[in-house]
Amino acid sequence: MELQDQVAIVTGASRGIGRATALRLAGAGARVVVNYAHQAGAAEEVVAAIEDGGGRAIAVPADVGDYQGAKKLIQTTIENFGRVDILVNNAGISRDNLIARLKPEDWDAVLRTNLTGVFNCCQAALKPMLRQRYGRIINLTSVVGLRGNAGQVNYAAAKAGVIGFTRALAKEVASRGILVNAVAPGFVTTDMTAALNETAREEFYRHIPLGRPGEPEEIAEVIFFLASPGARYITGQVLVVDGGLTLAL
Ligand code: NAP
């Protein structure tokens, strides 16, 4: 129970990596805010799973890309649980296309959710964290933000932006007891990657030295580590969790 008495917000926790992270943090004793955008039923199911395991959680809808929405998410957390110790900026979308065919609205949507959403939630959460002189912020980036990927200029730009943001903020708040890190998954089995057809998927796996995609729980374990006391001397880092994929790219 390394996170006993702590309060964690996981954005985009109704599905995929966010869901696995909410369950992992709750399993370590944290009270968890399960944020989602649209899928209330899925978020309530995560809350129910946490409560069935003896934990505490609430589901809170908020579009992280909306400045006021993100502020409200943090306020609701404080109203219900009194503090914010851990913020996992996990909410993300993809709208892939080659640049010639990429619609401006798909550029905007990905930057808004994946990068502006991180700014919005961090700025709001930092107020209570600075007061507490304690906080752990973990941002989800991607190997695509490190290496690029054809057909994903919007996603790659947003995820590379998250890395710069993480390093800058880590320097800004280190003296106040707040640690800021990023996790860069490779290919993980979630709804986001489900759109790929079988042939594209098999082709991808061929490039992963471990020969298989990652599972959401394998990313959640690393996020948990960064939130835990064991990671107290780590800040401004990007932890790559990709089965070796970046070695092969
Ligand atoms: P996913 O299964 O598609 O789930 C996305 C989650 O984000 C859902 O809970 C969704 O809520 C929420 N969300 C979307 N837009 C939102 C918004 N504007 N405000 C609040 N919540 C929003 O995604 P995933 O694969 O688990 O990915 C999670 C994170 O890891 C993302 O940042 C992604 O870029 C990153 N990542 C994923 C992979 C991968 O292979 N899967 C690899 C590298 C990085 P609703 O259910 O309500 O729609």
Side-chain angles (χ1 to χ4, degrees), residues 12 14-15 17 37-39 62-64 90 141 155 159 186 188 190:
S14 47
R15 294 182 278 129
I17 294 168
H38 305 292
Q39 298 202 15
D63 172 2
V64 296
N90 165 81
T141 177
Y155 188 80
K159 292 301 187 184
V188 183
T190 69

Side-chain angles (χ1 to χ4, degrees), residues 10-197:
V10 183
T11 69
S14 47
R15 294 182 278 129
I17 294 168
R19 177 184 193 280
T21 301
L23 292 169
R24 181 66 182 91
L25 300 182
R31 288 166 283 167
V32 179
V33 172
V34 175
N35 162 251
Y36 66 98
H38 305 292
Q39 298 202 15
E44 290 299 348
E45 189 267 328
V46 176
V47 169
I50 289 172
E51 288 175 346
D52 284 351
R56 282 185 66 195
I58 52 169
V60 180
D63 172 2
V64 296
D66 176 57
Y67 188 74
Q68 295 304 332
K71 261 176 97 167
K72 188 88 201 309
L73 170 64
I74 309 303
Q75 273 165 16
T76 306
T77 304
I78 299 288
E79 282 160 20
N80 281 272
F81 293 141
R83 53 188 293 127
V84 183
D85 301 288
I86 301 159
L87 169 65
V88 182
N89 284 304
N90 165 81
I93 58 169
S94 57
R95 298 275 189 277
D96 301 349
N97 222 328
L98 296 173
I99 190 163
R101 289 191 218 133
L102 189 66
K103 296 194 185 95
E105 53 267 35
D106 288 339
W107 169 267
D108 286 342
V110 169
L111 269 290
R112 182 179 182 277
T113 300
N114 296 11
L115 183 56
T116 307
V118 175
F119 161 73
N120 290 342
C121 292
C122 282
Q123 194 191 56
L126 274 164
K127 278 192 186 144
M129 285 181 177
L130 287 166
R131 268 199 307 274
Q132 294 163 193
R133 297 187 81 82
Y134 181 86
R136 297 285 174 97
I137 295 175
I138 298 131
N139 299 324
L140 269 291
T141 177
S142 164
V143 295
V144 172
L146 290 164
R147 294 305 189 96
N149 194 25
Q152 290 198 302
V153 290
N154 50 356
Y155 188 80
K159 292 301 187 184
V162 167
I163 293 172
F165 179 98
T166 298
R167 290 178 175 147
L169 185 61
K171 287 185 173 179
E172 198 169 314
V173 297
S175 65
R176 317 293 282 274
I178 299 166
L179 309 183
V180 190
N181 290 291
V183 172
F187 189 102
V188 183
T189 311
T190 69
D191 292 346
M192 187 177 272
T193 49
L196 281 181
N197 67 42

